[in-house]
Amino acid sequence: MRTTPRFITHIGSRSPSGASWHPEATNFSIFSREAQAVELLLYETATCDKPMQVIPLDLEIQRTFFSWHVAVENLPVGTFYTWRVQKPDGSWWEILDPWARAVSDKKWNRSQAIQKACNGLRGIVSDLTRRQRSHHRPKPKPLDNAVIYEVHVGGFTRHPSSGVRYPNTFKGLIEKIPYLKALGITHVELLPVMAFDEQDVPDGVSALGNENYWGYSPYGFYAPHPGYCATPEPVNEFKELVQALHDADLGVLLDVVFNHTSEGNEGGPTIHFKAILDDIFYHRSPDRQHYHDYTGCGNTINCNHPLVTHFLVHCLEYWVNEMGVDGFRFDLASVFTRGEDGAVLANPSLPWSIELSRSLINAPIIAEAWDAAGLYQVGSFPGTRWAEWNGRYRDVMRRFVRGDHGLVAEVATCLTGSSDLFADDHRLPSSSVNFITCHDGFTLWDLVSHNSKHNMANGEENRDGTNDNLSWNCGIEGKTDNLHVLALRRKQARNFMALLFLSQGVPMFLAGDEFLHSQDGNNNAWCQNNEISWINWQLNKDSEEMLRFTQELIAFRHRHRCLARPRYLTGRVDSVRGIPDIAWHGVKLHEPLWHDSNAQILAFTLAGYTCTEEDLHVIINMSEHPFDAPLPVIAERRWYLAMDTAAQSPDNMIAREKQPLIKSHTQLVQARSIVVCEARESI
């Protein structure tokens, strides 16, 4: 009869935390101020019921301060492991290592983790000494001149039409890199890729077979999500994705959920922190019986406790230094500013620690500067180099394009980088991440096709998702065969995209918007791991035309440095050419309609960033009537038509070499449309 092998152990070291593999010995360390006793359990597989070895730790020699540690000789890479800890009440809990670099969820049972002392999640010992093929890791790409593309790793390739060999995986995304390059984006922003709980959904949602699809329910902050892995080597598979994106000169941003975990409230499962750091890691009520919830997800991470701040910052440093990512977008980041009593701190430690970390000094950091409890900090998030999702930009542009009156002054401010929000902190236009749509809400096509959300498929009786969409269905709700309505919707979609890429700041858009992907009016598809959310790559004629328009629009922005200036526009006259960097107009030149409560027309002339770059004249008409817009006179230059969102493809976005000379002093601008002209010397 074969004897189960046992490994020789030693005292080990308290640092670093987690499992640190070496050919001679693997060091394990876990921090717990509350544990009365600790054991390390080693497993041969992800699903076997019994550990091949249980290693009790000696309280006297294997606890240093509050870290428990042990070294195990000759442990193979790929060994599965858990910790078992005894809480002060005498109960024992088998838990996942919070510092695990890889996890297996093959036997993960959320309901069991609520009812019993074992959840089935296991860490995987990983070889962090293995490197990708030799190359110098590039300096993170800054947000200056960036175009961000928000991508769900699974949904991008899950649909059968994706044509990839490894759908729903990091490898599948690699296969789509040629498409990303052809689109012209500079950064991909990946929805959560840290290991998350797909079972974390209400009963009514799970009853319909839905699951946590977006991934905003993390449990493994250091581990790639196992559901996105095509191989048993998640660390190296994710590194391969980052390497491939960098080889294509694309930056990698991670959407990070540091505001809550999948452990939920007092009725949720015990995965790790509840057993080892419960009084430290979460915001708790004074009687310690309840969890404060500023996230809408059951619990809130106590981000500004020194130990928690250290854990989170070290986690980010790991993803940059070891995994190679460029930067981060932080979900519900206003949670980062709350103290242990929930009150807003003047100088919270976590945002400043992220900003000042030497390892993160060049990493783009983007805050979603609000939380689910009503704290809204767009323009006032603490720190100096933080960029922010500009929710006000989204709302103003949605209202303007749908036809609201009297917004031209606000639109002008948004078009120029929202200096009213960011300039007083000495921040720059790139501090404003501009967006019309994102994963949370309507897609672009649904924004112009629906007045109301249609979320019945989520299993919450259409209560979930925002009711304030600031959308317009162009006359008919949802799907229609009405050609006039469909044409208007396509024009409105082009208007939104045009405004996004004509704005100072950093444009970001949702994957699929470039070819009018629809979720059938679902504005909260967080639980729809199906064809509602999956990107359908079977494009029709309208989709192909929108894709061409978007590609040309992105190329147009890249060609015009004046659309992504490093500093705010001032209106001052340039001493060399004698024209201002920006001039504002209305129906007449130099007469903007700032104080007209009915105004729907705005125009501006943007000087080239250099003497050789073309000047731009942008005319935005969101009224119901066409008008002849006067064109300014610029010495030694003539105007050429570059864009007309009212025109049919390919005349709505015209390549430079095909742009027609405008021979008149005016340009017709149709109702609900945008025209852009370029000024250069006539040939």
Side-chain angles (χ1 to χ4, degrees):
M1 181 176 180
R2 185 173 67 89
T3 303
T4 301
R6 294 187 178 272
F7 299 94
I8 299 173
T9 65
H10 302 284
I11 294 174
S13 171
R14 71 183 181 95
S15 180
S17 298
S20 304
W21 181 85
H22 187 273
E24 295 179 359
T26 300
N27 190 78
F28 294 86
S29 177
I30 189 170
F31 179 94
S32 179
R33 191 168 65 176
E34 301 174 16
Q36 304 300 297
V38 173
E39 297 174 343
L40 177 68
L41 282 61
L42 304 177
Y43 290 90
E44 287 186 298
T45 70
T47 58
C48 59
D49 292 327
K50 294 183 178 181
M52 60 180 171
Q53 187 167 348
V54 177
I55 305 171
L57 273 60
D58 188 319
L59 173 65
E60 297 300 323
I61 63 174
Q62 291 181 293
R63 186 180 74 169
T64 304
F65 305 117
F66 293 108
S67 291
W68 299 75
H69 45 83
V70 62
V72 183
E73 286 190 7
N74 302 315
L75 194 66
V77 169
T79 299
F80 296 88
Y81 73 100
T82 62
W83 291 99
R84 190 156 57 198
V85 301
Q86 185 183 37
K87 297 181 69 174
D89 62 6
S91 62
W92 284 86
W93 292 83
E94 186 174 350
I95 62 169
L96 176 70
D97 181 0
W99 289 268
R101 270 42 174 189
V103 301
S104 171
D105 63 351
K106 301 300 183 184
K107 203 180 178 183
W108 162 229
N109 188 314
R110 184 175 178 85
S111 60
Q112 178 176 295
I114 296 173
Q115 301 167 5
K116 300 182 180 180
C118 176
N119 58 55
L121 280 168
R122 294 172 184 174
I124 307 173
V125 175
S126 302
D127 180 4
L128 300 183
T129 65
R130 177 179 168 185
R131 303 290 178 182
Q132 297 304 108
R133 57 182 174 78
S134 178
H135 103 300
H136 176 68
R137 186 166 67 85
K139 183 179 179 180
K141 294 172 69 67
L143 294 184
D144 297 340
N145 306 311
V147 175
I148 300 175
Y149 189 65
E150 192 187 33
V151 180
H152 186 283
V153 170
F156 201 61
T157 60
R158 185 68 179 268
H159 196 278
S161 64
S162 68
V164 301
R165 184 179 178 187
Y166 300 101
N168 194 55
T169 66
F170 298 126
K171 284 184 174 292
L173 184 54
I174 291 175
E175 297 179 68
K176 285 296 185 182
I177 289 177
Y179 171 82
L180 300 176
K181 286 298 293 181
L183 185 56
I185 57 101
T186 64
H187 292 71
V188 292
E189 183 175 299
L190 305 178
L191 266 67
V193 298
M194 298 176 184
F196 62 86
D197 181 10
E198 295 167 345
Q199 303 171 69
D200 187 10
V201 296
D203 291 341
V205 177
S206 61
L208 294 178
N210 295 333
E211 62 185 41
N212 194 307
Y213 168 69
W214 283 348
Y216 292 90
S217 183
Y219 61 76
F221 291 101
Y222 285 81
H225 182 56
Y228 295 155
C229 297
T231 72
E233 296 186 341
V235 173
N236 290 308
E237 188 170 336
F238 184 81
K239 286 183 178 181
E240 288 171 2
L241 169 62
V242 174
Q243 177 73 68
L245 289 166
H246 283 167
D247 286 347
D249 195 30
L250 294 173
V252 184
L253 306 176
L254 300 189
D255 193 336
V256 176
V257 187
F258 278 177
N259 56 77
H260 76 282
T261 78
S262 57
E263 289 191 300
N265 58 22
E266 54 274 12
T270 295
I271 298 174
H272 35 45
F273 295 119
K274 282 185 176 180
I276 61 172
L277 292 170
D278 200 23
D279 285 343
I280 292 175
F281 203 80
Y282 297 114
H283 286 273
R284 302 290 299 277
S285 62
D287 63 5
R288 318 309 291 171
Q289 298 300 307
H290 303 286
Y291 293 79
H292 288 163
D293 183 6
Y294 307 116
T295 66
C297 299
N299 64 46
T300 306
I301 295 177
N302 187 19
C303 298
N304 291 303
H305 186 286
L307 288 172
V308 181
T309 295
H310 172 75
F311 174 86
L312 298 176
V313 173
H314 184 269
C315 177
L316 298 176
E317 293 172 343
Y318 169 78
W319 284 93
V320 168
N321 295 333
E322 182 63 38
M323 305 297 265
V325 305
D326 296 288
F328 307 93
R329 175 265 183 189
F330 296 90
D331 180 62
L332 298 183
S334 286
V335 164
F336 298 179
T337 69
R338 293 186 182 272
E340 295 194 38
D341 59 356
V344 179
L345 301 173
N347 294 292
S349 64
L350 180 59
W352 282 106
S353 296
I354 292 172
E355 176 164 332
L356 299 175
S357 164
R358 291 184 62 185
S359 294
L360 306 178
I361 198 68
N362 294 311
I365 47 176
I366 304 169
E368 183 185 40
W370 54 84
D371 68 19
L375 182 56
Y376 192 81
Q377 296 175 304
V378 173
S380 60
F381 194 77
T384 58
R385 72 177 187 90
W386 282 83
E388 298 175 24
W389 270 25
N390 193 339
R392 197 182 75 172
Y393 175 98
R394 171 201 60 202
D395 296 346
V396 168
M397 293 306 189
R398 285 188 177 193
R399 292 173 59 205
F400 184 56
V401 173
R402 78 174 178 180
D404 289 14
H405 294 243
L407 293 173
V408 295
E410 292 182 69
V411 170
T413 300
C414 291
L415 285 166
T416 53
S418 298
S419 60
D420 61 327
L421 294 178
F422 303 110
D424 60 345
D425 293 331
H426 304 290
R427 288 193 276 177
L428 304 172
S430 58
S431 299
S432 178
V433 176
N434 303 324
F435 66 105
I436 305 296
T437 60
C438 63
H439 68 278
D440 189 2
F442 281 146
T443 66
L444 181 60
W445 184 246
D446 289 350
L447 185 65
V448 299
S449 303
H450 297 274
N451 285 350
S452 304
K453 65 187 182 184
H454 298 271
N455 297 355
M456 290 302 295
N458 292 357
E460 298 185 83
E461 299 180 348
N462 211 39
R463 295 187 302 268
D464 63 307
T466 182
N467 294 314
D468 190 20
N469 295 289
L470 304 176
S471 60
W472 180 49
N473 63 16
C474 297
I476 297 175
E477 184 71 5
K479 293 181 179 179
T480 181
D481 294 326
N482 187 298
L483 297 181
H484 171 75
V485 170
L486 290 172
L488 179 55
R489 288 176 179 176
R490 291 192 294 271
K491 181 169 66 171
Q492 289 286 82
R494 292 193 292 269
N495 287 337
F496 275 122
M497 275 293 191
L499 287 173
L500 181 64
F501 285 98
L502 292 171
S503 299
Q504 305 292 320
V506 180
M508 182 196 79
F509 66 104
L510 176 64
D513 277 354
E514 70 273 22
F515 48 72
L516 306 177
H517 170 68
S518 173
Q519 294 177 171
D520 296 329
N522 192 319
N523 76 347
N524 189 35
W526 70 282
C527 59
Q528 299 295 333
N529 189 5
N530 52 49
E531 294 196 5
I532 290 177
S533 295
W534 299 342
I535 299 297
N536 187 338
W537 295 90
Q538 294 174 321
L539 307 187
N540 58 29
K541 181 175 179 292
D542 293 337
S543 299
E544 291 175 345
E545 289 181 351
M546 185 66 186
L547 175 59
R548 186 206 68 84
F549 177 84
T550 305
Q551 287 175 315
E552 294 292 335
L553 184 59
I554 294 173
F556 181 85
R557 181 180 177 89
H558 287 321
R559 185 161 62 84
H560 287 283
R561 186 70 177 89
C562 64
L563 292 172
R565 286 176 174 262
R567 302 285 174 176
Y568 289 106
L569 295 157
T570 64
R572 290 194 292 267
V573 175
D574 177 83
S575 60
V576 177
R577 295 187 57 206
I579 63 172
D581 55 8
I582 192 167
W584 296 102
H585 319 284
V587 177
K588 299 179 180 179
L589 291 176
H590 306 293
E591 296 183 19
L593 305 172
W594 299 141
H595 306 296
D596 186 339
S597 61
N598 291 311
Q600 293 179 288
I601 292 173
L602 176 66
F604 61 94
T605 308
L606 197 61
Y609 188 66
T610 65
C611 292
T612 57
E613 182 184 332
E614 297 95 334
D615 307 308
L616 299 180
H617 188 65
V618 179
I619 313 152
I620 307 166
N621 177 17
M622 290 298 116
S623 77
E624 295 288 353
H625 308 287
F627 82 106
D628 286 309
L631 300 178
V633 175
I634 296 182
E636 300 179 355
R637 291 192 173 189
R638 302 285 301 277
W639 289 108
Y640 292 79
L641 182 61
M643 177 199 302
D644 183 355
T645 62
Q648 298 301 308
S649 182
D651 295 331
N652 46 38
M653 194 73 219
I654 308 170
R656 185 181 188 278
E657 63 275 9
K658 295 182 179 180
Q659 292 173 1
L661 174 67
I662 301 173
K663 298 180 181 179
S664 172
H665 295 295
T666 63
Q667 171 62 40
L668 177 64
V669 184
Q670 298 291 348
R672 294 188 179 275
S673 68
I674 300 171
V675 166
V676 179
C677 309
E678 293 188 25
R680 56 180 176 270
E681 295 179 5
S682 293
I683 299 175

